[in-house]
């Protein structure tokens, strides 16, 4: 596996798949029981009150959505993650030679040195391909 492939796997895993899996776990939990069942569950008395309130509101929101709304929310969350990663990579690449440059390395090699290996010519352009090839959740979401 090349350094670029390792970088792509890490990027997809950390910026896309792990975050989407977190959302899916929250969604699945919220759909695993009724609101009444959730409210009857005992709460951890050591848990921060504000955090519990946030958890309760999230549960209620996700529990109240229809199947069509959930489908749209799934797409929106994945699209937001993809836009974030794409914009981050574009920012990195567009500012390589400026004072705003963000340096990234993998195995002590600068990521920007891999541009000759890129099919699209840019890191952010390559993100589309990486989603399709390396993500558990398929192609880039618009």
């Amino acid at each position: 596996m090349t350094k670029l492939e390792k970088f792509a796997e890490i990027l997809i895993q950390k910026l896309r798949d792990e975050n989407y899996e977190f959302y899916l776990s929250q969604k699945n939990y919220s759909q695993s029981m009724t609101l009444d069942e959730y409210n009857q569950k005992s709460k951890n008395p050591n848990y921060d009150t504000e955090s519990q309130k946030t958890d309760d509101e999230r549960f209620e929101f996700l529990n109240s959505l229809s199947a069509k709304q959930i489908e749209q929310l799934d797409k929106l969350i994945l699209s937001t993650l993809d836009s974030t990663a794409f914009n981050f990579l574009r920012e990195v690449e567009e500012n390589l030679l400026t004072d705003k440059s963000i340096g990234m390395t993998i195995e002590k090699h600068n990521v920007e040195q891999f541009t000759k290996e890129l099919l699209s010519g840019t890191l952010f352009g390559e993100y589309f391909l990486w989603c399709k090839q390396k993500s558990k959740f398929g192609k880039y979401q618009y």
Side-chain angles (χ1 to χ4, degrees), residues 1-129:
M1 180 181 297
T2 68
K3 289 173 185 59
L4 180 60
E5 289 171 328
K6 287 179 185 176
F7 172 74
E9 280 189 1
I10 291 168
L11 183 92
I12 292 296
Q13 180 184 10
K14 297 298 179 186
L15 293 182
R16 190 180 211 245
D17 287 4
E18 285 184 12
N19 292 304
Y20 195 63
E21 285 171 345
F22 173 76
Y23 157 71
L24 290 176
S25 71
Q26 297 290 304
K27 177 188 81 165
N28 292 339
Y29 179 71
S30 295
Q31 295 180 329
S32 70
M33 66 187 89
T34 66
L35 184 57
D36 286 339
E37 291 170 327
Y38 175 78
N39 286 329
Q40 291 174 6
K41 290 182 71 109
S42 61
K43 308 290 185 201
N44 181 347
N46 299 318
Y47 194 44
D48 176 63
T49 306
E50 284 301 310
S51 297
Q52 184 63 60
K53 182 180 177 193
T54 299
D55 286 353
D56 293 346
E57 289 170 349
R58 249 183 225 148
F59 182 93
E60 185 175 352
F61 169 72
L62 290 169
N63 185 268
S64 72
L65 298 175
S66 69
K68 184 173 176 81
Q69 290 170 322
I70 285 287
E71 182 181 326
Q72 291 303 310
L73 184 60
D74 289 352
K75 290 177 183 178
L76 176 63
I77 297 294
L78 197 52
S79 173
T80 301
L81 294 170
D82 283 341
S83 293
T84 300
F86 179 88
N87 290 334
F88 174 74
L89 288 171
R90 190 183 68 220
E91 181 67 21
V92 166
E93 193 141 4
E94 287 178 351
N95 287 298
L96 285 176
L97 303 175
T98 71
D99 291 341
K100 295 186 212 175
S101 177
I102 299 171
M104 289 192 300
T105 61
I106 186 153
E107 296 179 352
K108 300 179 183 178
H109 291 86
N110 291 340
V111 170
E112 58 267 21
Q113 293 174 347
F114 305 137
T115 55
K116 292 179 183 131
E117 298 176 44
L118 302 175
L119 296 174
S120 67
T122 63
L123 289 171
F124 57 91
E126 210 75 0
Y127 183 75
F128 296 99
L129 181 62

